Structure formats: C-alpha cells, structure tokens
Amino acid sequence: MRRTLFIRLTQPGPDALATALLRQPSGAFGRAEQAPLSRLLAEITADDRIVLLLPAEDAVVASVNLPVRQRSRLLQALPFALEEQLADDVDDMHFALGAKASDGSHRVAAMRRDRLAAYLAPLETCLAPVEGAYLDAQLLPQDAESSAALWLEPGRVLLQTAEQAVAMDDSLMDIVVGRLHDLPDVRLWLADGVNAPQTLPAQAERESVRSGLEQLALWTAQPAGRALNLLQGEFRPQSDQSEWWRPWRPAAAVAAALLLLSTGYQAIDLTQKRRSLEALESQNIQTFQQLFPAEQRIVDVRSQFEQQLRLLENPEGGQGFLFLLDETRQAFANNDGFSMNELQYRDGHLFIGLEGKDLQALERLREQFSQQAAVELEVLSANAGSDGVKVRLRLSPRGGA
C-alpha cells in the first residue's frame, strides 16, 4: 500500500488555504496540517496518492431513475434529466454517475466543468496522482433509504438524504431541522466546538468528531453511502483509463503470441509453397524444352503445351505426330534389326534415331515403307562401324513438306 494524502479544499487555486491529512500504509493517520495548497503539495512524492475533498456547495447532487440500461446512453440523457435543477447551462456542466441502487436509480453529481478543472489545475504538475475527488456532503453514511445524515462544523451544515446531498450555511439550520422531523432515523456528527441545536428531533443519534477531516477520510476510504468519484469521463485519471484491461493483459499477451506464431507459420508455409511452385515451374519448362526443342520462347508452359498437343493430335487433315506414328507402327514391328534411341516430331516430320547390327535391316525397313502409300521414308544418315550401324530417318506424310 501507498501513503494517501487527503486534501480538503474550500477554494481552487495553488494559494488557496487547504487542510491535509496523511494516512500511512498501516492505516494510521498523521496530524492534520493547514497551509496553502502549493506548500502541501511540495512534500508529496511519486509513491504517494492524493484524494481531494471538495465543498458540496459547488455541485448539485440528485437521484435520477431513467429507463435506460446502457451507461453510455444514460450519461447522454443526464443533462436533459437535470436541466431544470441546474442554474448553469448543461453544456458547461460535468456529470459524474454513481452505481445503480436497488430501486434502479442512480446518484448523480453535476459541477461546472471549469470549476472542477480549476480545483485540479494546481495538481497537474504534482508527482503523485490524484485518484479521487469527492463532495464532502456525499460522504456522510446513511443506514437506510429513509434515514438522514447531518454534519455540523463551524459555519457549515452538511446534509445527506436519499434524494440529495447538500452543504449550506449554518444560519439555515432551522430549515434543515424542520425537514428532519419526518424521518425516522437521523444521525448527527458534531465537530469540535459545535453544539447541537435545541430543536433537533428526539430520534437523532449524536456523535462527536474529534477530527473532522479524519472522519471524512475514513468514509472516503470505505464509503458507507453512495459517494461517487467526480473524476470520470474527461477528468478520469490517465492511470485509471488503462485499469480496465489490466486483468486481460496475460490473455492478450498469449493471444498476441499465438497470432504472431500463426502469422509466422503462415509466412513460412507460404514461402515454402512459393519455392515449390517455382521449382515445379522450372522443371515443367525443362521438360517442355526437351519435348519441343523448336519452341525457344516460353511464356505460358501450360498453354503452349496444350497447343503442341493439339498439333500432335490433328494438324492439317489428320497427318500429325500420332498419324505418322500409327502408320509406321507395323513397319517397325516387322523389323527387329534396329532399336530406337531417338524420337522427335518437328515441323510436321517425325525424326527417328536407330541402332542396329548391319545395313541389311535398313534395306528391309525401306522395303516396308515403300509399300506405305501415306508415309514417305528418307534416310538422313547411315553410319556403319565396329559397334554396329547408326541410322537417322525422317518420316513425312506423302505430299507434305
């Protein structure tokens, strides 16, 4: 725990007279000190925190019960619901919304925006954060909705009921006491040197307060009533604005790590697939060049391959590759003197490389093709050596190029 400095203000500004009370982490309070605000703040360290107690005279506290569930929409409707109770323009007001009560109502505090800003301005350069700002009258605890809490201090009266929390001059005490006679339970706190009025209802329970600021500080630390922090919306502390997601930090970190890993795996997988596709594309181009060496410029392997297949299947009235291969099948089947080591189709001709034992097999092959009416055989080369005969032939449709 950190030390908490409770500062009670009556006016804004760095030179305004303020009363401060320091509470140690153990819960023990120090001695109250009264001095200009700037002097009190000079003794604060970054490890401390500050809670402000502001005069309820600067605000209007009321209860509203609107048929709106969402908090954001409720905040939008508050100015219209309280417009008749405010002396200032609603556009100039800051609204703080309390928790929902059992009857569905909400306690609301409205203060001029520039007034609250003036209270907070001297603390902007303070090392310690301001974690709360409360109206002193709203800190008074109520035992029940039908009860009232009354605080008397020199020159001031604080009153909290189920409907409102107000502060006023002690000259209006008779009016306040007149309203208390209709309530079954009234609790009264008396600061040092203040006597209870004689007209106080008989049912009122009286308690003396040795240190008024200490008592208010205790109620601030453990609010017994419906006290609400004015530091909401645009005045919300920067540290608190990130508090809502702190419990989600571990889950967010795990989610971020999983997302990073997933993205990394996807990137690696995509890179591997891209490399595989590039290798496959390179292999397809190589195979295409081996099958069709005449095709020097390759733009789209698939399209060019399909085009070559169409040429092989039925070019110029059905005298393409398959036609030549079919016409020569029988001639090669009847001649076992050669083995084929090359087969290439180019420009409408079928080129065949053969290896055999002697030239007699070539003569028999010529006789076979001379009987073919549709195919013409041309010997491009015939070489005989110690290792046998090598022959290269060109087969063409008769009447072709």
Side-chain angles (χ1 to χ4, degrees), residues 8-45:
R8 192 176 189 188
L9 299 172
T10 57
Q11 293 292 330
D15 299 326
L17 193 63
T19 305
L21 184 65
L22 187 64
R23 186 180 189 183
Q24 299 294 337
S26 63
F29 286 96
R31 187 174 181 180
E33 182 180 0
Q34 192 173 49
L37 179 60
S38 57
R39 177 182 160 189
L40 296 173
L41 296 178
E43 302 176 1
I44 298 298
T45 67

Coordinates of all heavy atoms in Angstrom, one line a residue, residues 8-45:
R8 N -8.5 18.7 1.9 CA -9.8 19.3 1.8 C -9.7 20.7 1.4 O -8.9 21.5 2.0 CB -10.5 19.2 3.2 CG -12.0 19.6 3.2 CD -12.6 19.4 4.6 NE -14.0 19.5 4.5 CZ -14.8 19.6 5.5 NH1 -14.4 19.5 6.7 NH2 -16.2 19.7 5.3
L9 N -10.4 21.1 0.3 CA -10.3 22.4 -0.2 C -11.6 23.2 -0.1 O -12.7 22.5 0.0 CB -10.0 22.3 -1.7 CG -8.7 21.6 -2.1 CD1 -8.6 21.4 -3.6 CD2 -7.5 22.5 -1.6
T10 N -11.5 24.5 0.0 CA -12.7 25.3 0.0 C -12.8 26.2 -1.2 O -13.8 26.7 -1.6 CB -12.8 26.2 1.3 OG1 -11.6 27.0 1.4 CG2 -12.9 25.3 2.5
Q11 N -11.6 26.5 -1.8 CA -11.5 27.3 -3.0 C -10.4 26.7 -3.9 O -9.5 26.1 -3.4 CB -11.1 28.7 -2.6 CG -12.1 29.5 -1.8 CD -13.4 29.8 -2.7 OE1 -13.3 30.0 -3.9 NE2 -14.5 29.9 -2.0
P12 N -10.5 26.9 -5.2 CA -9.5 26.4 -6.1 C -8.3 27.4 -6.1 O -8.4 28.5 -5.7 CB -10.2 26.4 -7.5 CG -11.3 27.4 -7.4 CD -11.7 27.4 -5.9
G13 N -7.2 26.9 -6.7 CA -6.0 27.7 -6.8 C -4.9 27.2 -6.0 O -5.1 26.7 -4.9
P14 N -3.6 27.5 -6.4 CA -2.4 27.0 -5.7 C -2.2 27.7 -4.4 O -1.6 27.1 -3.5 CB -1.3 27.3 -6.7 CG -1.8 28.4 -7.6 CD -3.2 28.1 -7.7
D15 N -2.8 28.9 -4.2 CA -2.6 29.6 -3.0 C -3.8 29.5 -2.0 O -3.8 30.1 -1.0 CB -2.4 31.1 -3.3 CG -1.1 31.4 -4.1 OD1 -0.1 30.6 -4.0 OD2 -1.1 32.3 -5.0
A16 N -4.7 28.7 -2.4 CA -5.9 28.5 -1.6 C -5.5 27.8 -0.3 O -4.7 26.9 -0.3 CB -7.0 27.8 -2.3
L17 N -6.1 28.2 0.8 CA -5.9 27.5 2.1 C -6.5 26.1 2.1 O -7.7 26.0 1.8 CB -6.4 28.4 3.2 CG -6.0 28.0 4.6 CD1 -4.5 28.1 4.8 CD2 -6.7 28.8 5.7
A18 N -5.7 25.1 2.4 CA -6.2 23.7 2.4 C -5.8 23.0 3.6 O -4.9 23.4 4.3 CB -5.6 23.0 1.2
T19 N -6.5 22.0 3.9 CA -6.2 21.2 5.1 C -5.9 19.8 4.6 O -6.6 19.2 3.8 CB -7.4 21.1 6.1 OG1 -7.8 22.4 6.4 CG2 -7.0 20.3 7.3
A20 N -4.7 19.3 5.0 CA -4.2 18.0 4.6 C -4.0 17.0 5.7 O -3.7 17.4 6.8 CB -2.9 18.2 3.8
L21 N -4.3 15.7 5.4 CA -4.1 14.7 6.4 C -3.5 13.5 5.7 O -4.0 13.0 4.7 CB -5.4 14.3 7.0 CG -5.4 13.3 8.2 CD1 -4.7 13.8 9.4 CD2 -6.8 12.9 8.5
L22 N -2.3 13.0 6.3 CA -1.6 11.9 5.6 C -1.9 10.6 6.3 O -1.9 10.5 7.6 CB -0.1 12.2 5.7 CG 0.8 11.2 4.9 CD1 0.5 11.3 3.4 CD2 2.3 11.5 5.2
R23 N -2.3 9.7 5.5 CA -2.6 8.3 6.1 C -1.5 7.4 5.6 O -1.2 7.2 4.4 CB -4.0 7.8 5.6 CG -4.4 6.5 6.2 CD -5.7 6.1 5.7 NE -6.2 4.9 6.5 CZ -7.4 4.3 6.2 NH1 -8.1 4.7 5.2 NH2 -7.8 3.3 6.9
Q24 N -0.9 6.7 6.6 CA 0.2 5.8 6.3 C -0.3 4.5 5.8 O -1.5 4.2 5.9 CB 1.0 5.5 7.6 CG 1.6 6.7 8.2 CD 2.7 7.3 7.4 OE1 3.3 6.6 6.5 NE2 3.0 8.6 7.5
P25 N 0.5 3.7 5.1 CA 0.0 2.3 4.6 C -0.5 1.5 5.7 O -1.4 0.6 5.4 CB 1.3 1.7 4.0 CG 2.2 2.9 3.7 CD 1.9 4.0 4.7
S26 N -0.1 1.7 7.0 CA -0.7 0.9 8.1 C -2.1 1.3 8.4 O -2.8 0.5 9.2 CB 0.2 1.0 9.3 OG 0.2 2.4 9.7
G27 N -2.6 2.4 7.9 CA -3.9 2.9 8.2 C -3.9 4.0 9.3 O -4.9 4.6 9.5
A28 N -2.8 4.2 9.9 CA -2.7 5.3 10.9 C -2.6 6.7 10.3 O -2.0 6.9 9.2 CB -1.4 5.1 11.8
F29 N -3.3 7.6 10.9 CA -3.3 9.0 10.4 C -2.3 9.8 11.1 O -2.0 9.6 12.3 CB -4.7 9.6 10.6 CG -5.8 9.1 9.6 CD1 -6.6 8.1 10.0 CD2 -5.9 9.6 8.3 CE1 -7.6 7.6 9.1 CE2 -6.8 9.1 7.5 CZ -7.7 8.1 7.9
G30 N -1.7 10.8 10.3 CA -0.8 11.7 10.9 C -1.6 12.9 11.5 O -2.8 12.8 11.7
R31 N -0.9 14.0 11.7 CA -1.6 15.2 12.2 C -2.0 16.1 11.1 O -1.3 16.3 10.1 CB -0.5 15.9 13.1 CG -1.1 17.1 13.8 CD -0.1 17.7 14.8 NE -0.7 18.8 15.5 CZ 0.0 19.5 16.5 NH1 1.3 19.1 16.7 NH2 -0.5 20.5 17.1
A32 N -3.2 16.6 11.2 CA -3.8 17.5 10.2 C -2.9 18.8 10.1 O -2.5 19.3 11.1 CB -5.2 17.8 10.4
E33 N -2.7 19.2 8.9 CA -1.9 20.4 8.6 C -2.7 21.3 7.7 O -3.3 20.9 6.7 CB -0.6 20.1 8.0 CG 0.3 21.2 7.8 CD 1.6 20.9 7.1 OE1 1.8 19.6 6.9 OE2 2.5 21.8 6.9
Q34 N -2.7 22.6 8.1 CA -3.4 23.6 7.3 C -2.4 24.6 6.7 O -1.6 25.2 7.4 CB -4.4 24.4 8.1 CG -5.4 25.2 7.3 CD -6.5 25.8 8.1 OE1 -6.3 26.4 9.2 NE2 -7.8 25.6 7.7
A35 N -2.4 24.7 5.4 CA -1.4 25.6 4.7 C -1.9 25.8 3.3 O -2.8 25.2 2.8 CB 0.0 24.9 4.7
P36 N -1.2 26.8 2.5 CA -1.6 26.9 1.1 C -1.3 25.6 0.4 O -0.4 24.8 0.7 CB -0.6 28.0 0.7 CG -0.3 28.8 1.9 CD -0.3 27.8 3.0
L37 N -2.2 25.4 -0.6 CA -2.1 24.1 -1.4 C -0.7 23.8 -1.9 O -0.2 22.7 -1.9 CB -3.2 24.1 -2.5 CG -3.2 22.8 -3.3 CD1 -3.5 21.6 -2.5 CD2 -4.3 23.0 -4.4
S38 N -0.1 24.8 -2.5 CA 1.2 24.6 -3.2 C 2.3 24.2 -2.2 O 3.1 23.3 -2.5 CB 1.7 25.9 -3.8 OG 1.7 27.0 -2.8
R39 N 2.2 24.6 -0.9 CA 3.1 24.2 0.1 C 2.9 22.7 0.5 O 3.8 22.0 0.7 CB 3.0 25.1 1.3 CG 3.9 24.7 2.4 CD 3.7 25.6 3.6 NE 4.2 25.0 4.9 CZ 4.0 25.5 6.1 NH1 3.3 26.7 6.2 NH2 4.5 24.9 7.1
L40 N 1.6 22.4 0.6 CA 1.3 21.0 1.0 C 1.8 20.0 -0.1 O 2.2 18.9 0.2 CB -0.2 20.8 1.2 CG -0.8 21.6 2.4 CD1 -2.3 21.5 2.4 CD2 -0.2 21.1 3.7
L41 N 1.6 20.4 -1.4 CA 2.0 19.5 -2.5 C 3.5 19.4 -2.6 O 4.0 18.4 -3.2 CB 1.4 20.0 -3.8 CG -0.1 20.1 -3.9 CD1 -0.6 20.7 -5.2 CD2 -0.7 18.7 -3.7
A42 N 4.3 20.3 -2.1 CA 5.7 20.3 -2.2 C 6.3 19.1 -1.5 O 7.4 18.7 -1.8 CB 6.3 21.6 -1.7
E43 N 5.6 18.6 -0.5 CA 6.1 17.5 0.3 C 5.7 16.1 -0.2 O 6.0 15.1 0.4 CB 5.7 17.6 1.7 CG 6.1 19.0 2.4 CD 5.5 19.2 3.8 OE1 4.8 18.2 4.2 OE2 5.8 20.2 4.4
I44 N 5.0 16.1 -1.3 CA 4.4 14.8 -1.9 C 5.5 14.1 -2.8 O 6.2 14.8 -3.5 CB 3.2 15.0 -2.7 CG1 2.1 15.6 -1.8 CG2 2.7 13.8 -3.3 CD1 1.7 14.7 -0.7
T45 N 5.6 12.8 -2.7 CA 6.5 12.0 -3.5 C 5.7 11.2 -4.6 O 4.4 11.1 -4.5 CB 7.3 11.0 -2.7 OG1 6.4 10.0 -2.2 CG2 8.0 11.8 -1.5

